[in-house]
């Protein structure tokens, strides 16, 4: 148990849904097992009519499937005692009574543990909304009516609106019940170890921060291809598409980490302010700077309009008009049913003059030097450069230096994204969460694209997307697929 954190009642809305089963319940168990969960009770609520034991059985099945390490019986028995369930049919009053009952038990246990001269710590609430976006407003209203917004924080899943007007409306509804400092808009991309490594690499190394600007960096790519289809989310995806689902809530947030100025401190307010400065400096995204695609067969999926123009792929070029980045293009790409699944940030450095090198040396033939961050759960980064091939003559090869978390003994300490973000929300740390100002600004710069989107280009499942994406990035090329592979333990 983490005694640094206040005792909590954690309320999971959508407690037996897909996200809760795959990520939230297994993540809470891993935090408990690691001693990173405070004294708490976990109250699940959903449409299903279940009792406590039925909910525990579902949680046990989910954790057994999605927690990598075997779960011993003692640990599970202890964790299961924390789980309670209230069906949605109980209404605001039933939820209120269940939460207050658990709080009273926590308060009594806390009083027993309190040392002489110390006052008992306040029991707080964390409401996690693992529910469809359309249901979020009603849940927020329910929490206000049930009197459960006091001493509480609320975690919201994406998307945060679908355009500027809807984002402002949603934020106003949230802020009528919860203060902004208690609203945690979650982006699981920012919870990954490698995302934090971008900040560490940039600001802790005197070698790289001086060259992190338009004088030395030629362009930046952020590439998040997915092999998955849309699953059972046809209704949601038809209303969202790749841009709303992925770019606004994920890729732009990563771009802000790459582009932000040094914060005054590594604390939430300072970091969010620097991210928001990046968003304020973004130029509006023109439709001519975007390529939208749709994989063949998408319109045959149940629930999809036979004439749908929803994008399952998007590639775009954007610019940040400030002193550090003016003139440096940022290329972003994501899509469904692509050749590989990856999460890559690639920094391309400007190339030096080639005149001094003899003909046939190979200099420049393999492109510029790149610094590459892999945002997989196990952090990796690579720095490529030219080096002389051993032997006579002056022939150059592209080489790389790599670092990977799996090559260190600390890999066992890596928290998965949702685990880190749940812990941060319990601690009230908003460093890796998005703000209302930032979200609204991103919808503002995307207004032209949303109002006048280009037609979608078809592409084959298993490809890298429609051919039109190559003209968008010219004279450069997309970094994926890599010609040089990452080093592995086996290699």
């Amino acid at each position: 148990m983490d005694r640094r954190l206040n005792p909590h009642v954690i309320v999971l809305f959508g407690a037996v849904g897909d996200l809760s089963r795959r990520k939230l319940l297994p993540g809470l168990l891993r935090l408990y097992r690691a001693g990173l969960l405070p004294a708490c009770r976990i109250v699940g609520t959903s449409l299903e009519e279940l009792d406590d034991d039925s909910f525990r059985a579902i949680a046990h099945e989910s954790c057994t499937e999605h927690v990598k390490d075997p779960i011993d019986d003692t640990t599970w028995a202890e964790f299961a005692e924390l789980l309670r369930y209230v069906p949605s049919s109980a209404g605001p009053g039933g939820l209120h009574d269940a939460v207050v009952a658990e709080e009273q038990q926590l308060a009594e246990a806390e009083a027993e543990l309190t040392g002489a001269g110390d006052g008992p710590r306040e029991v707080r609430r964390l409401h996690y909304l693992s529910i469809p976006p359309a249901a979020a407003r009603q849940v927020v209203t329910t929490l206000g009516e049930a009197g459960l917004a006091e001493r509480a924080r609320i975690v919201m899943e994406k998307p945060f609106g679908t355009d500027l007007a809807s984002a402002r409306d949603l934020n106003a509804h949230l802020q009528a019940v919860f203060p902004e400092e208690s609203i945690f808009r979650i982006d699981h991309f920012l919870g990954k170890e490698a995302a934090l490594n971008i900040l560490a690499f940039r600001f802790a190394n005197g070698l790289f921060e001086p060259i992190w600007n338009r004088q030395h960096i030629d362009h930046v790519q952020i590439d998040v291809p997915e092999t998955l289809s849309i699953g059972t989310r046809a209704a949601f995806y038809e209303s969202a598409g790749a841009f709303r689902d992925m770019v606004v809530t994920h890729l732009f947030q990563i771009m802000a980490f790459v582009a932000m100025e040094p914060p005054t401190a590594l604390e939430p307010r300072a970091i969010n302010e620097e991210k928001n400065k990046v968003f304020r400096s973004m130029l509006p995204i023109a439709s001519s700077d975007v390529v939208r695609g749709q994989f063949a067969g998408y319109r045959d999926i149940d629930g999809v309009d036979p004439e749908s123009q929803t994008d399952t792929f998007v590639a775009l070029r954007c610019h940040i008009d400030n002193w550090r980045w003016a003139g440096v293009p940022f290329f972003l790409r994501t899509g469904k049913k692509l050749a590989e699944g990856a999460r890559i940030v690639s920094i391309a450095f400007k190339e030096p003059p080639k005149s001094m090198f003899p003909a046939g040396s190979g200099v420049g033939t393999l492109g510029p030097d790149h610094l590459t961050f892999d945002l997989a759960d196990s952090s990796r980064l690579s720095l490529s450069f030219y080096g002389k091939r051993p032997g006579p003559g002056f022939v150059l090869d592209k080489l790389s230096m790599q670092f990977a978390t799996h090559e260190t003994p600390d890999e066992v300490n890596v928290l998965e994204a949702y685990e880190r973000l749940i812990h941060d929300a319990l601690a009230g740390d908003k460093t890796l969460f998005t703000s209302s100002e930032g979200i609204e600004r991103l919808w503002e710069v995307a207004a032209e694209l949303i109002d006048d989107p280009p037609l979608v280009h078809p592409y084959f499942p298993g490809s890298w997307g429609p051919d039109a994406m190559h003209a968008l990035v010219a004279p450069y090329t997309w970094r994926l697929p890599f010609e040089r592979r990452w080093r592995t333990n086996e290699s």
Side-chain angles (χ1 to χ4, degrees), residues 356-394:
M356 64 176 284
F357 294 96
S361 66
V363 64
T365 57
L366 295 174
D369 299 337
H370 283 88
L371 175 64
T372 304
F373 296 89
D374 183 351
L375 302 186
D377 286 325
S378 186
S379 175
R380 298 185 295 190
L381 63 88
S382 171
L383 178 63
S384 69
F385 56 92
Y386 283 99
K388 182 185 176 301
R389 183 185 300 173
F394 207 96

Side-chain angles (χ1 to χ4, degrees), residues 202 212-214 217-223 247 251-252 254-260 278 281-282 285 289 315-322 324-333 345-348 472-473 476 478:
R202 281 195 58 190
W212 207 266
N213 54 52
R214 58 192 171 91
I217 291 177
D218 189 65
H219 65 279
V220 177
Q221 291 186 27
I222 301 175
D223 216 349
V247 177
L251 275 66
F252 280 157
I254 292 296
M255 184 184 75
F257 266 29
V258 173
M260 64 190 280
V278 172
S281 300
M282 286 178 65
I285 300 168
D289 289 329
L316 63 100
R317 175 177 54 232
C318 59
H319 292 271
I320 300 168
D321 190 23
N322 61 19
R324 185 181 289 266
W325 295 111
V328 177
F330 285 73
F331 298 101
L332 283 60
R333 178 176 65 162
V345 177
S346 187
I347 316 294
L472 179 74
V473 78
Y476 315 114
W478 292 103

Side-chain angles (χ1 to χ4, degrees), residues 139-162:
V139 169
V140 172
T141 300
T142 297
L143 289 171
E145 292 174 349
L148 294 176
E150 298 175 1
R151 297 178 282 105
R153 302 184 181 105
I154 184 169
V155 180
M156 301 286 296
E157 281 283 342
K158 68 175 179 74
F160 314 113
T162 56

Side-chain angles (χ1 to χ4, degrees), residues 238-262:
E238 274 289 274
S239 66
F243 180 79
R244 288 181 170 97
D245 184 40
M246 291 291 293
V247 177
V248 174
T249 51
H250 292 327
L251 275 66
F252 280 157
Q253 304 299 327
I254 292 296
M255 184 184 75
F257 266 29
V258 173
M260 64 190 280
E261 295 297 317

